[in-house]
């Protein structure tokens, strides 16, 4: 049946109706300025019976055409009316039947419906409503009064929403558009229908309107935001509307709209959002809102008050989703600060390469060393014998200077094999923490710096709440930050406060999150340890983390867990522990004593170095004596003499070396490594007190010419000397001519000249191996 026949006059009448505010005229703001509207306007909400919005249902249908003749009037009388059952669907544009026959052979467009009202005739059929269309009336009869009213309100809603979509799809004057938006909002708020789409549909209409209108002024922005504000109190804004809000936050962060309208919207998002992954623009809007708060005069104080309002005045926050959502916003904002560096990460170093040997030794290959080999028949024969089992050595010629370029040092391997017969792994090698293999220059833009400062400060604020701290520690345990952030000194320095709060918390579920989330992956415990990429305090925070772990039953409550924890420290952080103990840190002294007591260290040289470290301080000496009273075998080990090998931890100083060497007997010491420490030439006065020293590693130290002169006068039995990446010059290297026992000298990355090399070659009888020596 065709419902669209109408005269020209009726069509004009409907067009005029559609151009009017559907729920009445709304007066313009005073002065006629669109931006002068208040941030909140009074809205009357519907109070009464509620109905669910119908999308489809079964109902009886009867069509009555306007009688034009006497016969048609007789046929439309109530005694001759024919009712048809139909399953009607309320689509977006029309009313259609699942069985398009009879009266409902053709769909009924909402634009053809002039009016919808309850049937009020005398002796009218029960539970009916009438739809007026050009040329007649459609009667719909429900089973009861509730269903009748439900159909009535649903049809009215569908008809008006369709008209609003049509009116707002082609805006001409923004004054008219704003009135229509207000009428649309009022209709949604006063509708007796109770459905999510009742508030979402107007928001989607406005969102589409804004996405297609790019030439809006700031005043028009604020007027539209204020108009739709009542709908946002209980609904999330659609994605396009979030973009609109983000733009407003960026362009007018000091607008009162941000405080009065956006605040309840963001509060609802943080309280009820379950997954920002499904609606990332909600997260972006929340992020921009917080940055807008930070732009106010009070800055972070306003942000702090906002977070406090989200937590609430009680000791425990009643909303479990607030913290995860806030953390998600912070992580995304921090990630965006380093996005430029992340996108250009093609050949960037991994975290293990930039963390200063945080968990394991760096895997980088050192610069190719230049080695001078003395004519020692024993050593030469050893090299010839092992030539088939090692990589081929390459001899290069440059400026008539013959140097041997080696990837692995067989001489040192043979010398190490001769120094002891222990077959167990040598934990002393774990003490070496090499410097950063690759440094990253992180310079953020001023805007990125402000964003980073704001959101790291928010993490600090979150860590101050006792009830939030366990969940926050758990969320941050996997270190969910890009490696560029961990290589940025500003970021790790500011984040240190959060980690300190975790370390100070006595609850096991908090400080246990400082450890790695799984084996083979670094945790905050590794990153903030001495030598770690984030350490800037010589291990104070690290000692605090170890202390709290030491006092907790979960780690130290049983023998098994105690050994497991100590073994982890011995394998990965023995060097930092010894360095801090050498400087008098009581926690580290206790840790070293426990390692000896539980027999964690099996290598004799490493045990002797720990004992010497303990005896270098008063507190260590007292605790070691108490330990010896319980385990006399330690005294027996010490009577056999001092260690033959010694490796000073990274970042050790001249004072640390002097304190260690003065604490015990080192008459048997043959191999000393000071690589990557902060020692200078001043330590030479301590080195000459080691009569048995044969191998000395000074790689990447500040040991200079003055120290070489002292060594050349006193350590005449020295056989292996590594001066790689030291500031020595020709003046100091010439002094080595008097060291007749020297058989291996590494001068890579020094200021060695060809003339000095020739002098050393003549005076020390340097052996230049032929090209086919290892063929």
């Amino acid at each position: 049946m065709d419902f669209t026949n109408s005269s020209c006059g009726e069509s004009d009448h409907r067009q005029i109706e559609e151009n009017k505010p559907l729920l009445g005229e709304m007066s313009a703001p005073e002065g006629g300025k669109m931006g002068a509207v208040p941030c909140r306007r009074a809205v009357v909400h519907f109070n009464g019976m509620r109905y669910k919005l119908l999308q489809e249902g079964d109902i009886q249908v009867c069509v009555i055409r306007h009688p034009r003749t006497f016969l048609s009037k007789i046929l439309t009388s109530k005694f001759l009316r024919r009712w048809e059952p139909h399953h009607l669907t309320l689509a977006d544009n029309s009313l259609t039947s699942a069985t398009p026959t009879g009266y409902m052979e053709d769909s009924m467009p909402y634009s053809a419906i002039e009016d919808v009202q309850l049937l009020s005739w005398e002796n009218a059929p029960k539970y009916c409503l009438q739809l007026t269309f050009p040329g007649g009336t459609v009667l719909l009869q429900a089973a009861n009064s509730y269903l009748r009213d439900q159909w009535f309100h649903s049809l009215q809603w569908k008809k008006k929403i369709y008209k609003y979509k049509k009116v707002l799809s082609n805006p001409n004057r923004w004054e008219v558009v704003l009135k229509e938006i207000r009428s649309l909002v009022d209709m949604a708020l006063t509708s007796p229908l109770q459905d999510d789409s009742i508030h979402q549909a107007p928001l989607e209409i406005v969102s589409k309107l804004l996405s297609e209108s790019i030439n809006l002024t700031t005043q028009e922005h604020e007027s539209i935001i204020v108009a739709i504000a009542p709908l946002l109190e209980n609904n999330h804004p659609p994605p396009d509307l979030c973009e609109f809000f983000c733009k407003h936050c960026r362009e007018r962060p000091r607008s009162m709209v941000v405080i009065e309208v956006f605040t309840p919207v963001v509060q609802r998002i943080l309280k009820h959002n379950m997954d920002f992954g499904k609606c990332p623009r909600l997260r972006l809007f929340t992020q921009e809102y917080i940055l807008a708060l930070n732009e106010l005069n009070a800055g972070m104080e306003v942000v702090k008050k906002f977070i406090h309002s989200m937590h609430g005045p009680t000791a425990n926050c009643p909303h479990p989703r607030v913290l995860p959502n806030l953390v998600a916003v912070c992580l995304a904002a921090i990630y965006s600060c380093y996005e430029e560096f992340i996108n250009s990460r093609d050949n960037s170093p991994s975290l293990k390469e930039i963390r200063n040997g945080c968990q394991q030794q760096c895997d980088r290959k050192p610069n190719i060393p230049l080695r001078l080999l003395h004519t020692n028949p024993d050593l030469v024969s050893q090299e010839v014998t092992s030539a088939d089992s090692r990589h081929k050595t390459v001899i290069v010629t440059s400026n008539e200077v013959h140097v041997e370029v080696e990837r692995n040092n067989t001489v040192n391997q043979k010398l190490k094999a001769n120094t002891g017969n222990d077959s167990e792994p040598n934990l002393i090698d774990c003490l070496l923490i090499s410097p950063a293999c690759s440094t990253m220059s992180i310079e953020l833009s001023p805007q990125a710096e402000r964003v980073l400062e704001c959101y790291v400060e928010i993490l600090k604020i979150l860590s101050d709440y006792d009830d939030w701290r366990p969940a926050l520690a758990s969320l941050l345990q996997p270190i969910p930050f890009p490696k560029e952030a961990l290589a940025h000194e500003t970021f790790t320095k500011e984040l240190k406060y959060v980690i300190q709060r975790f370390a100070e918390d006595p609850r096991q579920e908090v400080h246990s999150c400082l450890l790695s989330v799984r084996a083979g992956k670094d945790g905050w415990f590794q990153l903030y340890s001495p030598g770690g990429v984030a350490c800037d305090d010589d291990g104070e925070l690290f000692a605090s983390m170890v202390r709290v772990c030491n006092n907790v039953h979960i780690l130290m409550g049983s023998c098994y867990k105690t050994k497991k924890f100590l073994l982890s420290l011995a394998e990965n952080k023995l060097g930092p522990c010894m360095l801090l103990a050498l400087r008098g840190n009581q926690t580290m002294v206790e840790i070293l004593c426990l390692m000896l007591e539980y027999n964690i260290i099996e290598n004799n040289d490493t045990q002797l170095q720990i004992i010497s470290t303990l005896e270098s301080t008063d507190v260590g000496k007292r605790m070691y004596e108490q330990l010896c009273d319980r385990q006399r075998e330690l005294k027996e080990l010490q009577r056999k003499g001092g260690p033959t090998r010694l490796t000073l931890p990274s970042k050790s100083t001249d004072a640390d070396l002097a304190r260690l060497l003065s604490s015990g007997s080192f008459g048997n010491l043959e191999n000393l490594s000071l690589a990557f420490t902060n020692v200078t030439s001043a330590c030479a006065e301590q080195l000459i007190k080691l009569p048995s020293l044969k191998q000395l590693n000074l790689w990447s130290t500040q040991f200079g010419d003055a120290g070489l002169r002292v060594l050349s006068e006193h350590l005449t039995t020295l056989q292996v000397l590594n001066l790689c990446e030291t500031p020595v010059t020709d003046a100091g290297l010439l002094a080595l001519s008097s060291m007749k026992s020297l058989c291996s000298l590494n001068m890579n990355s020094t200021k060695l000249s060809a003339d000095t090399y020739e002098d050393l070659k003549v005076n020390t009888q340097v052996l230049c191996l032929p090209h086919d020596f290892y063929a």
Side-chain angles (χ1 to χ4, degrees):
M1 181 174 180
D2 188 6
F3 295 97
T4 59
N5 293 333
S6 61
S7 65
C8 181
E10 290 173 336
S11 176
D12 294 342
H13 173 73
R14 288 196 309 276
Q15 186 67 32
I16 293 173
E17 289 295 327
E18 290 179 357
N19 288 333
K20 293 181 180 180
L22 299 181
L23 294 182
E25 293 283 346
M26 295 189 65
S27 59
E30 294 184 6
K33 295 182 180 180
M34 297 186 64
V37 294
C39 288
R40 290 183 180 272
R41 62 191 184 92
V43 178
V44 178
H45 293 266
F46 177 83
N47 292 318
M49 184 173 289
R50 293 284 184 175
Y51 305 91
K52 182 174 177 59
L53 177 65
L54 276 176
Q55 301 295 339
E56 59 181 345
D58 295 320
I59 199 166
Q60 298 288 327
V61 179
C62 179
V63 176
I64 304 175
R65 291 192 173 277
H66 292 165
R68 299 181 183 278
T69 64
F70 180 75
L71 179 60
S72 62
K73 187 173 183 180
I74 293 176
L75 293 176
T76 57
S77 64
K78 65 178 182 177
F79 300 104
L80 299 178
R81 291 175 194 154
R82 180 169 54 90
W83 293 86
E84 296 178 353
H86 283 275
H87 185 85
L88 300 185
T89 300
L90 283 73
D92 291 338
N93 302 321
S94 61
L95 183 65
T96 61
S97 174
T99 55
T101 58
Y103 293 143
M104 298 302 298
E105 181 177 2
D106 298 320
S107 61
M108 181 184 297
Y110 297 135
S111 58
I113 300 176
E114 296 177 351
D115 192 17
V116 179
Q117 60 183 359
L118 299 176
L119 202 60
S120 59
W121 304 342
E122 185 178 356
N123 298 324
K126 295 180 65 176
Y127 316 131
C128 281
L129 58 123
Q130 65 178 21
L131 312 181
T132 304
F133 67 94
T137 300
V138 176
L139 300 181
L140 302 179
Q141 187 176 35
N144 52 57
S145 60
Y146 181 86
L147 284 177
R148 178 200 61 190
D149 294 344
Q150 188 178 16
W151 274 96
F152 171 71
H153 293 298
S154 298
L155 282 168
Q156 274 195 329
W157 172 260
K158 289 286 186 177
K159 176 177 178 292
K160 291 179 179 180
I161 280 294
Y162 171 76
K163 289 186 177 182
Y164 276 116
K165 287 181 179 179
K166 188 173 181 181
V167 170
L168 295 177
S169 62
N170 297 306
N172 295 322
R173 296 171 54 197
W174 276 101
E175 293 84 355
V176 176
V177 170
L178 183 59
K179 293 176 183 178
E180 296 293 351
I181 291 176
R182 290 173 178 167
S183 300
L184 174 62
V185 172
D186 290 344
M187 182 192 74
L189 294 175
T190 56
S191 173
L193 295 174
Q194 190 172 16
D195 193 88
D196 293 338
S197 62
I198 299 302
H199 289 173
Q200 283 295 329
L203 290 176
E204 290 174 358
I205 293 174
V206 175
S207 177
K208 182 179 179 181
L209 171 67
L210 295 174
S211 64
E212 297 173 353
S213 305
I214 59 176
N215 297 321
L216 295 178
T217 64
T218 303
Q219 290 181 343
E220 291 167 346
H221 267 197
E222 294 191 353
S223 299
I224 293 175
I225 293 172
V226 172
I228 64 176
L231 292 178
L232 298 172
E233 293 180 1
N234 298 308
N235 298 274
H236 290 339
D240 291 337
L241 204 55
C242 287
E243 290 284 349
F244 179 69
F245 291 168
C246 290
K247 181 179 179 182
H248 189 79
C249 287
R250 287 191 294 266
E251 294 179 354
R252 296 204 64 190
R254 296 174 180 267
S255 168
M256 289 305 297
V257 168
V258 174
I259 300 294
E260 297 192 15
V261 178
F262 289 167
T263 298
V265 179
V266 174
Q267 287 177 335
R268 188 181 189 280
I269 291 173
L270 292 176
K271 290 178 182 178
H272 300 287
N273 177 67
M274 297 301 295
D275 185 6
F276 277 131
K278 296 180 180 178
C279 41
R281 294 189 185 180
L282 287 179
R283 177 194 52 74
L284 184 61
F285 168 49
T286 306
Q287 179 179 328
E288 294 291 345
Y289 166 78
I290 293 176
L291 290 176
L293 294 185
N294 192 41
E295 292 294 325
L296 300 177
N297 292 336
M300 284 307 301
E301 286 299 320
V302 181
V303 177
K304 188 173 182 179
K305 290 180 180 178
F306 170 75
I307 294 176
H308 181 71
S309 70
M310 296 305 305
H311 180 275
T314 59
N316 295 311
C317 178
H319 306 287
R321 291 301 308 167
V322 170
L323 178 65
N325 287 332
L326 278 174
V327 173
V329 171
C330 292
L331 295 180
I334 293 172
Y335 183 92
S336 67
C337 296
Y338 300 94
E339 198 162 9
E340 178 183 352
F341 300 94
I342 296 172
N343 293 337
S344 60
R345 191 193 280 177
D346 295 339
N347 295 316
S348 59
S350 64
L351 177 58
K352 286 188 177 181
E353 293 174 335
I354 64 174
R355 66 183 180 179
N356 291 333
C358 189
Q359 180 173 341
Q360 300 174 351
Q361 266 188 251
C362 189
D363 295 328
R364 77 170 175 122
K365 295 179 179 179
N367 293 330
I368 298 176
L370 309 182
R371 311 191 68 84
L372 302 183
L373 300 182
H374 187 276
T375 54
N376 187 323
D378 296 333
L379 293 178
V380 172
S381 63
Q382 291 172 4
E383 292 189 21
V384 174
T385 303
S386 61
D388 295 335
S389 61
R390 75 171 197 173
H391 295 291
K392 184 177 293 186
T393 304
V394 183
I395 309 296
V396 299
T397 304
S398 176
N399 296 329
E400 299 182 354
V401 177
H402 299 276
V403 293
E404 180 188 2
V405 183
E406 295 187 347
R407 285 294 184 187
N408 49 358
N409 184 3
T410 302
V411 178
N412 285 345
Q413 292 175 359
K414 294 299 180 180
L415 288 176
K416 289 179 182 179
N418 295 333
T419 56
N421 296 322
D422 292 334
S423 59
E424 65 271 6
N426 188 3
L427 285 181
I428 218 167
D429 295 332
C430 298
L431 301 180
L432 181 60
I433 302 178
S434 28
C437 308
S438 176
T439 57
M440 299 183 63
S441 177
I442 304 292
E443 293 184 5
L444 301 180
S445 63
Q447 174 62 19
E449 287 282 359
R450 289 194 294 271
V451 173
L452 181 66
E453 180 183 359
C454 173
Y455 282 98
V456 174
E457 190 65 30
I458 290 177
L459 291 177
K460 293 181 182 179
I461 295 172
L462 297 179
S463 68
D464 287 334
Y465 289 93
D466 290 339
D467 62 315
W468 276 352
R469 202 174 299 132
L472 178 62
S474 178
L475 290 171
L476 297 185
Q477 184 180 13
I479 313 184
F481 301 104
K483 64 182 182 180
E484 287 77 6
L486 300 178
H488 190 201
E489 182 180 358
T490 302
F491 172 75
T492 54
K493 185 176 181 180
E494 292 298 323
L495 194 66
K496 181 180 175 181
Y497 176 86
V498 179
I499 307 304
Q500 183 71 48
R501 296 291 287 162
F502 294 164
E504 294 172 351
D505 196 296
R507 291 171 291 183
Q508 179 268 335
E509 63 268 26
V510 177
H511 55 252
S512 63
C513 294
L514 296 172
L515 303 176
S516 58
V517 68
R518 64 177 181 271
K521 181 176 175 61
D522 285 340
W524 297 112
F525 187 80
Q526 285 79 20
L527 260 65
Y528 280 92
S529 64
V533 65
C535 182
D536 62 349
D537 57 2
D538 292 332
E540 295 179 6
L541 178 57
F542 174 72
S544 177
M545 290 189 286
V546 173
R547 180 174 61 252
V548 74
C549 291
N550 185 34
N551 293 332
V552 174
H553 295 294
I554 189 65
L555 292 177
M556 309 300 291
S558 67
C559 180
Y560 169 74
K561 293 179 179 178
T562 300
K563 282 190 174 182
K564 185 177 180 181
F565 176 61
L566 294 176
L567 185 60
S568 174
L569 284 180
E571 290 177 346
N572 302 313
K573 294 299 170 187
L574 183 56
C577 291
M578 293 179 65
L579 179 59
L580 292 173
L582 191 61
R583 294 175 178 176
N585 187 284
Q586 184 172 351
T587 301
M588 293 304 156
V589 170
E590 294 174 0
I591 290 295
L592 294 184
C593 288
L594 286 173
M595 287 182 181
L596 294 176
E597 183 175 359
Y598 283 92
N599 199 23
I600 300 298
I601 308 297
E602 297 181 359
N603 184 273
N604 290 341
D605 287 336
T606 308
Q607 289 181 349
L608 290 170
Q609 183 174 350
I610 291 178
I611 294 172
S612 300
T613 301
L614 293 174
E615 291 184 335
S616 64
T617 61
D618 294 337
V619 61
K621 186 180 298 184
R622 184 178 67 256
M623 295 187 69
Y624 175 65
E625 290 175 355
Q626 295 174 357
L627 178 62
C628 289
D629 293 339
R630 300 192 300 271
Q631 295 186 348
R632 296 185 178 181
E633 61 270 15
L634 292 176
K635 281 292 186 183
E636 295 296 329
L637 174 66
Q638 202 170 7
R639 290 194 187 99
K640 296 179 182 180
T644 58
R645 294 170 54 85
L646 184 64
T647 300
L648 212 62
S650 176
K651 296 187 179 181
S652 300
T653 62
D654 294 333
D656 297 326
L657 178 62
R659 190 181 302 111
L660 180 63
L661 295 182
S662 63
S663 62
S665 174
F666 291 92
N668 297 334
L669 187 63
E670 296 180 355
N671 188 322
L672 175 62
S673 176
L674 303 177
F676 310 114
T677 62
N678 297 329
V679 299
T680 64
S681 297
C683 74
E685 297 296 332
Q686 302 296 327
L687 298 179
I688 61 177
K689 299 177 182 179
L690 304 173
S692 302
L693 191 62
K694 295 180 181 179
Q695 302 177 53
L696 178 60
N697 187 354
L698 296 170
W699 187 4
S700 190
T701 62
Q702 295 302 311
F703 198 89
D705 294 339
L708 284 182
R709 296 190 188 96
V710 176
L711 294 184
S712 62
E713 294 176 2
H714 298 85
L715 293 182
T716 56
T717 60
L718 196 64
Q719 297 180 9
V720 178
L721 179 60
N722 187 350
L723 297 174
C724 177
E725 298 181 16
T726 57
V728 296
T729 63
D730 290 345
L733 292 172
L734 284 173
L736 300 179
S737 301
S738 61
M739 302 179 71
K740 303 302 181 181
S741 299
L742 196 63
C743 59
S744 180
L745 177 61
N746 186 342
M747 296 176 291
N748 185 55
S749 299
T750 62
K751 299 178 181 179
L752 171 68
S753 65
D755 294 339
T756 303
Y757 173 80
E758 290 297 334
D759 291 340
L760 288 174
K761 181 178 177 181
V762 172
N763 295 328
T764 60
Q765 300 180 7
V766 174
L767 171 64
C768 295
L769 300 177
H771 287 274
D772 58 350
F773 181 77
Y774 292 106

